[in-house]
Structures are given as structure tokens and as C-alpha cells.
DNA sequence: GCGGTTGGAATTTTT
DNA sequence: TTCCAACCGC
């Protein structure tokens, strides 16, 4: 089948996307443009045909096989808005994947007209695979090419895809870079300092969090409400936010928040573009709807609107009881409000749990029933009651780790796989005790949700090299690697480059090129810098010559980067080299360096090599969506879980979110769950007596039981514990208000940036150079001057470094 | 530019 | 208490 060259849907903005492949059309069997009238007619005809046969269609029947009535309904109700309230373990992913398969199999829409959004890459991958498997099972393939469901992805990935296509409309170029958190911090720090503020008093981190929050709320700088910005730098927050956005535009870069916010702005400001996507997406599916924040919500609403007055075919799947990301902007309200947002919406509840035993489900349900803000579901299971949830009190975290270690060894002896066991903690510092213990026991474990592959130093460095190779003007990335490995281009040099770049309005790389033409730099520095620049030119020349993976290896070798780690004697060095190899291997999945770099910020998932059978150690948050035969839930103590800070910051709402977290934890377990609390815990190095979590009191005791045996169990469920925490919490109420809002001091030092004096110098003029002192101009070459210095002799320098006296 | 020292902060996390 | 970042002295 011929590869038709892609001139996709016609539109005024098309110029922006010339060089970006946009593979979402069929290669054959459909007209060239999915949006042409012909296509629409064809699609309608297809639908009509499908409608007449769907009940009988064997393909559709196969998609429904093995589903319970509610699941079937959730799969089949494809027209109009649908909210699927899917309790834990009720087959949420199953419904989503089947629904997609159903839409495809009944011919209601081709794959490129289905928008399916998830939060994580992992969820997106899984869904894609499962849909493909479903379709292939029936001897069909989704699309002729392998990018079967082009619009299935994370909010961010889909946002990027749309943004790249219309970049110019939001003031970007299509090849924009996506900054990671580090880049973001570095940039913010520069912005803070450029505004004459002390970046120590006003840390970039804090501003990053603030801006992130605003972006999640869908607020562009001009929309920040007046009072909002007070928290940072005495009201300069919004100003700094605006400055930061300007810098991003200058760098042709976006941060993660922008991927959605800018996309939203694009839609709001360009109704024609919005209309194109509204038409394009005939079916919209949203996973984990309870986790959507304001931007995502607004974005979905815009896309879901129908211009022709029909109801959108939008299906949101979620569970209000599993909403645990309120602190990062998720709005449970979105799910609670669905029926108002989409009038006539059908609400389908999935309540049959296929995961846990009766007791586990009973304990979890009893606990979550204490929450007031919920839509309410009654989960049930046909499974046996099983063992009650065990609650154990221990002396301290070491004992907790010891007992859990013993339990695990016992399970192991009984033939249970370590892979089927998980320890879910509230905060990551709790992991340490377990790691220590397991290390001594020689028990194999893995930590899930640690530092991600693409966040590792060596990966970021390598990517920075590749970025600069393709785009020399990427200042942030250039700065990252200019002295990595060490080549004598330290802070002083970078500062000089910065200063010059700013005055001349050049990128760092260009500034470096110009400065190398002169004697501004020490010969040693100059040689090093010129050498680096020459290397980049050399590599750039090979872009067309070598396959991109080979070029990548060459860059890492010739730059001395590989050698740097080979010389390094620290124990991490070997694994870093491994990671670099892995990176190059991963790169092979893309057909060019540019293609790789455009996706890398979003797609690089931590695919750490598996060490075989190991206990899983992770936080409760990262356990969402997973399940294990046996789950240990340590640290159920007041102050830790529910966490003190959550209660202080968010009161009742915070408490309910913590309770949902407890619910998530319990419902991860299939057969066995064991909760524990320590009476003494070290907090910031100090021992503190702690009391059992109120969640323990709230457990329905027909489904839970104190641990038996020698484990020192005491206090669980006792009313004394309840009294204690009530007393404590009323004390807390009085003392909690004060500690915020430390005195705000306005930093008034402004940086005086001297204007570029230009190069209107005269021969023979006496001038002053900051390093070489006084001298007389003897030659002028554009902005470079040759000067006879009184002390330093004859030098070639940049005009902008000269002062007149 | 490196290595030692000192001060401040220490939930949860994706993209 | 411990870890990390920034700073200072060589």
C-alpha cells in the first residue's frame, strides 16, 4: 500500500505542521481526509450499516462475552454521555478496553476518531495493548499501520500532539522542547534573580509549585486573581509567572503544565481549530476521571461540546472513593458534577468486585463509609470471606519491619511468590526500615516509584547533548553539559557567556561562538570552549551520514561523557553506563534523533530490569491500580496516617482524602491484608510516642481482628485511643493556624543591565576593559575591537565589554 | 574546580 | 537524625 504523502486536514494553521508527521488517517479504505464531507458521509453510512447489524454481529458479541450486566451496559452504551462509577476491582480497565473494541468492531468509528485519555503512560500502554489483543483475537487489526490508536494516550501526550501541530498559534515553533522539572527550576531561579529577588528567600521550588498550581487551575498569568499572588515574594508571584512564560517562549520551550494549558488556550482562542477536533473525536473516553484537574476538565468539556446540538459521546470512568490526588489539583467535584455538566448522562455503577475476599472488601467498605463526600457504591463479591484483616501493634518501626519480614518468610515457605506481596507505606521514609531489614534477611525486594529512568542524571546529560546537537540555541541544555564532563568551563565562563548572550540577544551557543573569536577568554578556556563548539559542528555534520543511534554513541564517546563514568569509581557508575546503553537502545525504537527527542520527555518510562521474585515496596499513592495477593499496611498512626500536614492544610477534606488512601491500600489486597502501627516512631531523628490511627478505630470489627501471638499487640480499637486523638486534635486546632505566612520582605535590589553600547567606536579612542584595563583602539571589526592595552598588550575583544571613560 | 563544612528542611507524584 | 544544597577555603 502506497504511503500517501501527508497533507492532512486543510486549515489555515497547516503551515505549522509541515514537517511533523501526523499519522492519524487511514492508509486505505477511507478518503484522504477524515474530515472531508465525503468522509463524514462514508462514516455515517458505516454507522448506519453497523447499527442495523450490531446486535447480531459476532464481533460485537465477542467483545461482550464474559461481562456482567453492568459491565455490558457500560460497554454498549456508546451514544451520549456516560459516567461509569467503577469501584475498586470491578473491572474498570476491562470495560474501557472492551468499549473501545466495541466501537471499532461495530464500525461506529475508525480508530483515529476515538480519543482515549489516561493519566500515566503505563495506563495508556496497557490499554493500547489490551485493545489490540482483543481485536487481534478476532482476526482483525485496528488499523493497517501499527499506530493503531493514535489518540489513545496521556492528557499530556495528546496535548503535545495537538500543540506541535498548531504551535504557531500559541507563539511556539513546532519543534519546541519540553522542560523537565530540573530545567524548570533552573529557569525559575534565573527569573527570580533577574527580578532582583533573593532566590534563597524565595526558592524556585516554591514558585514552581505555585505556578504549577495555577496552571492546573487553568490560569494564565493575566488571569491570576489579584489577591492570589501574595504568597510569593510579596505579591510578585503573578509577575514572575509572566516573566517565566516569556522566557519559555524565548527558549521555544514549554513545561508540563503548559502542555495542557496552552492546548486549552489554543482551543479557546481558535474556534476553527477546536471545531476540527470536536468533529474529529466522535468518541471520547476518560480513565480515572476522579483525578482530573481544572485544565483537564475544561479541555475535555471543550472537546466534548457538540456544535450540532447532539449529545457528546463521552464516557468517563472513575471512582470518587479512589481520588487521592487532591493535593496536586485533582477535583473530585468533576466526577460528582458529571450529570450536571452533561445533561442526560447515564450513570452506571460497577459494584461487583472480582479482586478481594469478603472480609477485605468489608473492611475497606466499612472504612470508606465514614466519608461524607461521596457518590456511594455498595461493593459486593461472590468470593469467600477469607481471612479477616489483621491489625497489629508493635513497639517501633524496627519491630514492624522485623515482624513483617517474618510474615513474608513464612509466606515464602508456604510457597507464595514474593512478587505477590506488597508493602504499602504512607511516606517514603518508612521504606528505610524495611530495606534495612530485608537486606539483613537477604530478602529480595524492589522499590516501585523510585527515581525514574529519564530523571537520572546521566540520561538527562545525554539528552542534553542530543538536544544541543539538533538545536544549538537550547540554552538550558547547553548550560547543562557545557562543563560535563569537566573541561574547565566553570561558573566564571558561564557567567561571562550569559552576560554577553543577554546583551547581544544571542543564545549561549552563539555567544560562545562569537567569544571564541576574541581574546576575552583565557587561552585555556577559549581552547576548551572552541573545542566543544567544534565537536558539535562535527557531530552536526554527521547527522545525515550516520544512523542516529550510532551518532548518539559517537557523541557520548567523543565528548568524553562515557569516559567520565568509566573513570568514576563510585558504585553507581556501572549502572549509569548501563543506563546510557539502554538509552541508545531505546532510541532505536524511533526513526530519527528528532523523533526520539520529541517523545522522550513524555514517554520514557522506568522499565527497570526485574530482579525476579521480589517483595514490592511502594507508597500508597503509587499502588493505585495495582493488586497483590498479600498486602502489608504499616504505619497506621495518627500524624503519619492520616498525615498531620494534610489535616492541618486541608481539614475535613484532607482527612477524607487520607481515608480514601487507606481504602485504596486495603483494596489492593486479594487474599490477605495486614495493618500495623508502631507505638514509637522516629520523626526527624527524634523519638515520638504515637497512637493508632483513627482509621483503625473505624474498621468494622466483623471484618478485622487483632493479631494473635507474641507481637505485642495493644490498643487497637480501644476507645482510649479515640479519646486521645480527639484531645490532641482539639489542641491542634488552636496551634495550627500560626506557622504560615512568615514575614514578607520586599527585595528591592534591581539588577542594572547596561544597554549594549553598540560598536560606534572610533579608531584611537581610549577605552576601558574590565579585565585588561585601559587601552587604545587600533582596529574595529564589526563588534570586535582590537585594542592595544597599556598593561596587557594587544588583544581582540568584544565591544560590549568595553567601557568609555 | 574540588572537597569539606554548615544550615535548613525533611508527605504523597505524573507528565 | 539525616540528607542535600549552597558556601568557603585551598
Amino acid at each position: 500500500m502506497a504511503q500517501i504523502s501527508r497533507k492532512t486536514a486543510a486549515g489555515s494553521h497547516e503551515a505549522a505542521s509541515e514537517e511533523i508527521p501526523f499519522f492519524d488517517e487511514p492508509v486505505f479504505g477511507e478518503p484522504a481526509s477524515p474530515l472531508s464531507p465525503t468522509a463524514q458521509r462514508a462514516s455515517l453510512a458505516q454507522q448506519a450499516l453497523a447499527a442495523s447489524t450490531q446486535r447480531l454481529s459476532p464481533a460485537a458479541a465477542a467483545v461482550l462475552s464474559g461481562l456482567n450486566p453492568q459491565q455490558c451496559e457500560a460497554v454498549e452504551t456508546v451514544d451520549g454521555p456516560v459516567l461509569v462509577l467503577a469501584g475498586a476491582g470491578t473491572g474498570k480497565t476491562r470495560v474501557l478496553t472492551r468499549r473501545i473494541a466495541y466501537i471499532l468492531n461495530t464500525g461506529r468509528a475508525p480508530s483515529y476518531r476515538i480519543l482515549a485519555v489516561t493519566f500515566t503512560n503505563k495506563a495508556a500502554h496497557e490499554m493500547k495493548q489490551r485493545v489490540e489483543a482483543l481485536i487481534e483475537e478476532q482476526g482483525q487489526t485496528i488499523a493497517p499501520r501499527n499506530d493503531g490508536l493514535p489518540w489513545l494516550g496521556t492528557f499530556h501526550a495528546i496535548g503535545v500532539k495537538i500543540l506541535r501541530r498548531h504551535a504557531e498559534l500559541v507563539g511556539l515553533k513546532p519543534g519546541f522542547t519540553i522542560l523537565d522539572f530540573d530545567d524548570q527550576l533552573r529557569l525559575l531561579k534565573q527569573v527570580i534573580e533577574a527580578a532582583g529577588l533573593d532566590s534563597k528567600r524565595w526558592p524556585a521550588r516554591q514558585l514552581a509549585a505555585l505556578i504549577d498550581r495555577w496552571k492546573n487551575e487553568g490560569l494564565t498569568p493575566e488571569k491570576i486573581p489579584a489577591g492570589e499572588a501574595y504568597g510569593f515574594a510579596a505579591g510578585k508571584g503573578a509577575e514572575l509567572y509572566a516573566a517565566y512564560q516569556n522566557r519559555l517562549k524565548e527558549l521555544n520551550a514549554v513545561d508540563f503544565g503548559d502542555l495542557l494549558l496552552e492546548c486549552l488556550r489554543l482551543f479557546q482562542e481558535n474556534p476553527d481549530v477546536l471545531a476540527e477536533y470536536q468533529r474529529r473525536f466522535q468518541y471520547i473516553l476518560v480513565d480515572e476521571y476522579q483525578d482530573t484537574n481544572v485544565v483537564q476538565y475544561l479541555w475535555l468539556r471543550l472537546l466534548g461540546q457538540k456544535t450540532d446540538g447532539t449529545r457528546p459521546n463521552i464516557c468517563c470512568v472513575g471512582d470518587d472513593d479512589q481520588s487521592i490526588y487532591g493535593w496536586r489539583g485533582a477535583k473530585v467535584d468533576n466526577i460528582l458534577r458529571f450529570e450536571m455538566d452533561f445533561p442526560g448522562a447515564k450513570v452506571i455503577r460497577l459494584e461487583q468486585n472480582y479482586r478481594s475476599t469478603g472480609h477485605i472488601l468489608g473492611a475497606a467498605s466499612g472504612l470508606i463509609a465514614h466519608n461524607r463526600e461521596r457518590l456511594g457504591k455498595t461493593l459486593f463479591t461472590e468470593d469467600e470471606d477469607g481471612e479477616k484483616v489483621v491489625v497489629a501493634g508493635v513497639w517501633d518501626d524496627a519491630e514492624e519491619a522485623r515482624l513483617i519480614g517474618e510474615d513474608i518468610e513464612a509466606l515464602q515457605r508456604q510457597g507464595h511468590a514474593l512478587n505477590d506481596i506488597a508493602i504499602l507505606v504512607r511516606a517514603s521514609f518508612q521504606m528505610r526500615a524495611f530495606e534495612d531489614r530485608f537486606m539483613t534477611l537477604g530478602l529480595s525486594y524492589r522499590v516501585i516509584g523510585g527515581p525514574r529512568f529519564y530523571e537520572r542524571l546521566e540520561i538527562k546529560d545525554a539528552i542534553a547533548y542530543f538536544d544541543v546537537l539538533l538545536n544549538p540555541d537550547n540554552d538550558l541544555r547547553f548550560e547543562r553539559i557545557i562543563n560535563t564532563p569537566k573541561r574547565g568551563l566553570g561558573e566564571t565562563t558561564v557567567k561571562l557567556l550569559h552576560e554577553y548572550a543577554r546583551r547581544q540577544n544571542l543564545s549561549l551557543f552563539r555567544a560562545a561562538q562569537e567569544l571564541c573569536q576574541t581574546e576575552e577568554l583565557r587561552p585555556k578556556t577559549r581552547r576548551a570552549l572552541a573545542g566543544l563548539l567544534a565537536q558539535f559542528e562535527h557531530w552536526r555534520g554527521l547527522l545525515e551520514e550516520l544512523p542516529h543511534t550510532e551518532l548518539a554513541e559517537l557523541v557520548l564517546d567523543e565528548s568524553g561523557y562515557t569516559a567520565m563514568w568509566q573513570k568514576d569509581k563510585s558504585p553507581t557508575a556501572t549502572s549509569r553506563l548501563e543506563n546510557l546503553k539502554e538509552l541508545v537502545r531505546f532510541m532505536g525504537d524511533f526513526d530519527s534523533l528528532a523523533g526520539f527527542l520529541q517523545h522522550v520527555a513524555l514517554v520514557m518510562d522506568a522499565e527497570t530490569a526485574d530482579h525476579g521474585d521480589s517483595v514490592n515496596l511502594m507508597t500508597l499513592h503509587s499502588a493505585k491500580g495495582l493488586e497483590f495477593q498479600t498486602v502489608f499496611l504499616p504505619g497506621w498512626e495518627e500524624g503519619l496516617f492520616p498525615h498531620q500536614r494534610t489535616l492541618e492544610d486541608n481539614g475535613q477534606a484532607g482527612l477524607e482524602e487520607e481515608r480514601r488512601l487507606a481504602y485504596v491500600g486495603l483494596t489492593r489486597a486479594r487474599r490477605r491484608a495486614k495493618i500495623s502501627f508502631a507505638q514509637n516512631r522516629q520523626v526527624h531523628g527524634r523519638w515520638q510516642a504515637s497512637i493508632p490511627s483513627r482509621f483503625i478505630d473505624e474498621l468494622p470489627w466483623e471484618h478485622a481482628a487483632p493479631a494473635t501471638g507474641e507481637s505485642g499487640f495493644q490498643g487497637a480499637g480501644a476507645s482510649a485511643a479515640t479519646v486521645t486523638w480527639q484531645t490532641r486534635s482539639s489542641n491542634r486546632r488552636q496551634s495550627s493556624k500560626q506557622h504560615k505566612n512568615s514575614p514578607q520582605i520586599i527585595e528591592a535590589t534591581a539588577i542594572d543591565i547596561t544597554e549594549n553600547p553598540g560598536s560606534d567606536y572610533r579608531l584611537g579612542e581610549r577605552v576601558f576593559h574590565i579585565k585588561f584595563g585601559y587601552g587604545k583602539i587600533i582596529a574595529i571589526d564589526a563588534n570586535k575591537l582590537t585594542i592595544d592595552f597599556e598593561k596587557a598588550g594587544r588583544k581582540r575583544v568584544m565591544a560590549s565589554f568595553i567601557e568609555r571613560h
Side-chain angles (χ1 to χ4, degrees), chain A residues 42-51 101-110 282-283:
Chain A
S43 158
L44 283 175
Q46 228 178 13
Q47 277 185 36
L49 182 69
Y102 184 84
I103 293 166
L104 293 170
N105 278 0
T106 56
R108 278 159 191 275
Q282 290 179 319
Y283 291 92

Side-chain angles (χ1 to χ4, degrees), chain A residues 317-505:
Chain A
V317 181
D319 181 2
D320 50 317
D321 290 335
Q322 292 186 70
S323 160
I324 54 173
Y325 287 111
W327 51 273
R328 65 175 200 214
K331 293 273 184 278
V332 209
D333 288 6
N334 292 347
I335 201 168
L336 304 176
R337 209 174 48 204
F338 188 84
E339 291 176 85
M340 282 187 278
D341 288 333
F342 299 99
K346 189 162 199 176
V347 179
I348 298 167
R349 285 181 158 75
L350 301 184
E351 297 178 308
Q352 179 165 5
N353 175 292
Y354 295 97
R355 180 185 296 156
S356 311
T357 62
H359 278 317
I360 289 169
L361 201 58
S365 303
L367 178 62
I368 200 66
H370 286 84
N371 271 7
R372 271 181 277 158
E373 292 283 318
R374 56 191 293 254
L375 292 168
K377 289 179 298 299
T378 319
L379 294 196
F380 66 96
T381 175
E382 288 174 358
D383 202 342
E384 54 174 25
D385 279 350
E387 297 166 31
K388 287 188 177 181
V389 172
V390 177
V391 182
V394 296
W395 179 247
D396 62 7
D397 59 343
E399 190 186 1
E400 192 171 50
R402 204 160 53 236
L403 286 178
I404 289 177
E406 279 168 20
D407 280 353
I408 291 173
E409 288 184 319
L411 286 166
Q412 202 178 18
R413 279 192 299 274
Q414 289 161 35
H416 294 275
L418 298 180
N419 281 335
D420 288 334
I421 300 170
I423 299 169
L424 312 182
V425 296
R426 176 63 181 85
S428 40
F429 76 84
Q430 291 174 262
M431 291 185 189
R432 216 193 135 147
F434 294 100
E435 295 197 55
D436 284 352
R437 187 66 194 148
F438 294 170
M439 218 78 108
T440 348
L441 292 177
L443 203 57
S444 167
Y445 68 92
R446 72 173 73 83
V447 174
I448 294 182
R452 279 151 201 291
F453 189 68
Y454 69 89
E455 280 168 0
R456 299 196 184 150
L457 186 82
E458 67 278 15
I459 300 300
K460 293 218 255 193
D461 287 342
I463 288 172
Y465 270 100
F466 307 148
D467 264 334
V468 175
L469 178 56
L470 289 188
N471 175 19
D473 298 333
N474 192 330
D475 285 1
L476 288 161
R477 301 283 151 92
F478 183 56
E479 204 182 326
R480 184 182 182 97
I481 47 91
I482 187 167
N483 200 30
T484 313
K486 300 267 183 278
R487 35 175 90 86
L489 302 170
E491 209 186 326
T492 333
T493 314
V494 173
K495 233 183 204 154
L496 193 83
L497 285 178
H498 258 302
E499 211 165 283
Y500 183 70
R502 181 180 293 225
R503 287 198 212 182
Q504 302 293 327
N505 200 20

